[in-house]
Amino acid sequence: MRRIYINGRFLTQPMTGVERYAYSICKSLMQKGQDFTIVCPKASIQDCYDTTGMKIIKYGIGNSHFWEQCILPFFFLFKKNYLIFSFTGLGSILICNKVMTIHDLSFLEDPSWFSRAYYYWYKLMTPLAVRTSRHIITVSHFSKQEIRRFYPFVKGDKITVVYPSVDRDKFINKRIENEYGEQFALAVSSLDPRKNFLRLVEAFKGIDNCKLYIVGNTNRVFGQRSQLKEVPVNVKLLGRVTDEELVRLYNQASCFIFPSIYEGFGLPPIEAMECGCPVLASDIPVIHEVCIDAAEYFDPNNIDSIRDTIVGYFREQQNKKKTMQTRGYANAHRFDWGKTAQHIIELSQTI
């Protein structure tokens, strides 16, 4: 019987989007009774991960890309009939019995969005990992098309779309009285240039009846790291917040705004919809795939379009809000971690 392993390097890192994806799949596989073993570095597991009941083997030294590329392969040196999943990204190019995950190819779409070190590393390693993988997981049909566009040597049947979802025990609709003392719109993301916060902030310079709260931090992998040093008085930068605080913000915001110009999936709009928060989002293909008719759309490259959509929503808020909440909740329930885990189980049995 084939043994299933999971690359657990993500457990030693803070939980951002791709780490949450990997962790949530592990939890769902365990709930479905799937037997698997996580192999991770000997470094401490971050407190944000509850690994109770998970089979974990700590192996080797370090917890960097070096561990993943050069140390992890030794664990499998004499093993046969196994398959290892890397849910956060590349996996080791020296391991052929692996399934890698490509969340997006934004570093190829526009290298200026990232640091030079990040860009050149992934430009070199991604095609090597693709060629040495048994299969590729990605998070949307848009990203599958992008993989085919940038790596035309990859056949379509080598790529499987496995949607993410949200933790419904955590992201819940509990609309309560506003504790923040003012009406506000919410935006959530890392402060990455492709998230387009510069245009969103510029749009809010012409809006008087609502504040904008932005949740997210900069990261050294991104270019233009100081892009939001100065903001107008009606914009608040909240930095990183706990999941509990994020849920409160989703529940008390008048609307959620997602101005990104490039995404692999875009999970925050689904989190917002699950919490009953109406969504205004970029008119780009992947967001239409994710949000369908449950969001109002604007041109993310046009500040006037962003501003007009926001102003129009607030003008008609009383008429629009209930319908948008209903559509949003129904749309969010298209995505389910149980379905995601079942895709992984079926994939492990067929490739």
Side-chain angles (χ1 to χ4, degrees):
M1 184 176 179
R2 176 187 281 176
R3 293 294 306 272
I4 303 301
Y5 294 91
I6 293 172
N7 177 354
R9 178 172 171 254
F10 71 91
L11 291 175
T12 66
Q13 301 171 315
M15 189 186 295
T16 59
V18 296
E19 289 84 13
R20 189 183 296 275
Y21 179 81
Y23 175 60
S24 297
I25 290 177
C26 290
K27 287 201 305 179
S28 297
L29 288 172
M30 189 170 65
Q31 289 168 0
K32 283 188 169 290
Q34 174 64 43
D35 184 40
F36 65 93
T37 302
I38 300 175
V39 185
C40 71
K42 290 183 177 179
S44 298
I45 293 175
Q46 295 277 326
D47 292 338
C48 53
Y49 302 103
D50 179 5
T51 58
T52 304
M54 295 183 184
K55 296 180 183 178
I56 297 177
I57 296 176
K58 292 192 172 184
Y59 179 81
I61 58 173
N63 67 335
S64 65
H65 287 298
F66 178 79
W67 177 87
E68 185 173 66
Q69 295 299 327
C70 300
I71 303 300
L72 181 59
F74 282 99
F75 178 83
F76 296 98
L77 196 56
F78 299 108
K79 288 181 171 56
K80 297 180 179 179
N81 199 26
Y82 71 88
L83 188 66
I84 179 169
F85 286 86
S86 288
F87 293 125
T88 58
L90 301 175
S92 174
I93 63 173
L94 299 178
I95 301 174
C96 293
N97 285 339
K98 71 173 180 294
V99 177
M100 68 176 293
T101 305
I102 296 179
H103 288 267
D104 65 64
L105 292 171
S106 52
F107 66 95
L108 294 177
E109 177 68 16
D110 190 337
S112 71
W113 292 336
F114 299 91
S115 68
R116 294 181 68 181
Y118 182 96
Y119 167 69
Y120 284 115
W121 170 258
Y122 281 95
K123 182 182 180 181
L124 170 67
M125 296 298 291
T126 302
L128 294 176
V130 166
R131 290 183 183 277
T132 58
S133 293
R134 293 276 298 275
H135 204 79
I136 301 165
I137 289 172
T138 193
V139 293
S140 66
H141 291 283
F142 170 78
S143 284
K144 180 175 180 176
Q145 292 170 359
E146 291 291 271
I147 295 168
R148 299 294 310 282
R149 176 164 75 98
F150 285 110
Y151 304 123
F153 60 85
V154 182
K155 295 182 179 179
D157 60 3
K158 190 180 178 179
I159 308 168
T160 297
V161 175
V162 181
Y163 283 132
S165 185
V166 299
D167 184 346
R168 293 198 172 92
D169 293 331
K170 187 175 296 181
F171 292 93
I172 59 176
N173 185 348
K174 49 180 180 181
R175 307 299 289 184
I176 55 179
E177 186 177 348
N178 192 317
E179 302 170 328
Y180 297 90
E182 57 191 1
Q183 182 173 239
F184 67 93
L186 180 66
V188 177
S189 182
S190 55
L191 301 188
D192 168 354
R194 68 191 167 105
K195 303 301 182 178
N196 202 30
F197 284 148
L198 281 178
R199 289 192 181 95
L200 178 59
V201 167
E202 189 67 26
F204 258 83
K205 289 181 180 179
I207 299 175
D208 299 322
N209 62 339
C210 180
K211 297 286 183 69
L212 172 65
Y213 289 8
I214 297 178
V215 171
N217 273 353
T218 58
N219 188 301
R220 62 186 176 84
V221 306
F222 301 133
Q224 308 170 31
R225 291 171 61 192
S226 61
Q227 60 171 338
L228 285 179
K229 276 189 173 180
E230 297 182 6
V231 297
V233 294
N234 64 340
V235 176
K236 291 186 178 181
L237 301 180
L238 303 183
R240 286 185 65 87
V241 301
T242 64
D243 282 348
E244 292 75 18
E245 177 65 14
L246 180 58
V247 171
R248 283 200 299 272
L249 287 163
Y250 277 136
N251 272 271
Q252 297 183 50
S254 296
C255 65
F256 177 77
I257 307 175
F258 198 65
S260 183
I261 54 180
Y262 189 96
E263 290 290 333
F265 181 87
L267 192 57
I270 302 303
E271 294 174 346
M273 290 176 183
E274 194 68 47
C275 293
C277 187
V279 172
L280 315 179
S282 293
D283 187 7
I284 57 177
V286 69
I287 303 304
H288 278 280
E289 178 182 344
V290 172
C291 296
I292 52 175
D293 66 347
E296 289 198 352
Y297 295 96
F298 52 76
D299 180 353
N301 296 302
N302 187 306
I303 293 171
D304 289 336
S305 176
I306 299 172
R307 182 184 298 117
D308 290 346
T309 302
I310 297 168
V311 170
Y313 169 77
F314 280 104
R315 185 186 304 119
E316 300 293 330
Q317 183 177 181
Q318 295 304 316
N319 298 326
K320 291 181 175 182
K321 191 170 186 178
K322 185 64 176 177
T323 298
M324 293 183 70
Q325 286 176 326
T326 301
R327 288 180 178 177
Y329 192 70
N331 179 61
H333 275 64
R334 292 194 298 130
F335 307 102
D336 180 79
W337 283 123
K339 294 178 182 177
T340 302
Q342 188 60 40
H343 277 306
I344 299 298
I345 292 169
E346 292 172 0
L347 186 62
S348 69
Q349 296 170 345
T350 56
I351 63 171

